[in-house]
Each structure stands twice: as C-alpha cells, then as structure tokens.
Amino acid sequence: MSLPTPVKTVEKLQISLQMKAKTEPSFRFYALWDKVFRNDVLREAFARCRANAGAAGVDGETFEQIEAHGQERWLGKLQEELIKGQYVPKPLLRVWIPKSSGGQRPLNTSHG
C-alpha cells in the first residue's frame, strides 16, 4: 500500500468542503485556517503554481530561486509564518484596463 500523494489528499479535502457547502448552503466555514498551512496543501499549491508558469511573487522571488535555495526549506518557513500568524500578504493594487468591447475592467496586481 502506498502513501497518498498530496494531489489526492488535497482533492479529498476540496471535495469534502464542496460537498459540505452544497448540502448546507448556510454553513459558515470559520475554521479553515488550519487547512491552509497543511504540508500537503502548501506542496500542492506550489506545484500547481509552478506548473502554471506562475510569475514571481510580490517579493520578486522566482520559482527557480526558491528551488535553488531549497523548496522544502521555503515551504517550511511559509508554513511556520502561517501557523504563528506572522504571514501578512501585501495588498493588491487595482488597475483598470480597457475591454475590447469598450469600457474598462478591474485588474488586481500585487503592490509592493
């Protein structure tokens, strides 16, 4: 028997949360924070962003830089900041861009 992969455990979490939301629309998820900093969730989020060719974050650090200095170390530090409540995301800056049909639409970009 093999250990479940992060993809499978994250998918299981997503499905259970979706089912709960669909079956009980008035239910409020007040205690999701402990799900955010789970190892499997952080690893899967990193893998999905990496596979999607995500850009550098607001700190300017690229995936290549993270991997060169140790992905596990970086994820561990992020997890520690999340657990201790020390992680503070930078605010988004709303920019308006033109639509092809005329008018404008908002585009949130990282500010910092």
Side-chain angles (χ1 to χ4, degrees), residues 64-96:
E64 291 78 16
Q65 291 169 319
I66 291 169
E67 291 164 348
H69 292 100
Q71 176 184 333
E72 289 302 315
R73 190 177 84 206
W74 185 86
L75 287 171
K77 183 179 176 201
L78 174 60
Q79 182 182 43
E80 185 178 318
E81 289 176 4
L82 289 166
I83 289 170
K84 291 180 177 179
Q86 296 171 337
Y87 176 79
V88 180
K90 301 214 179 198
L92 294 176
L93 174 65
R94 178 165 279 187
V95 177
W96 293 91

Side-chain angles (χ1 to χ4, degrees), residues 1-2 7 25 33 37 43 49-50 68-69 72 85 94-95 103:
M1 181 175 165
S2 64
V7 173
W33 189 245
F37 56 73
R43 284 190 180 133
C49 289
R50 182 72 166 112
H69 292 100
E72 289 302 315
R94 178 165 279 187
V95 177

Side-chain angles (χ1 to χ4, degrees), residues 16-18 20-21 24 27-32:
S16 65
L17 291 172
Q18 288 169 347
K20 181 72 171 178
E24 296 182 47
F27 184 82
R28 295 294 169 248
F29 294 90
Y30 293 108
L32 291 177

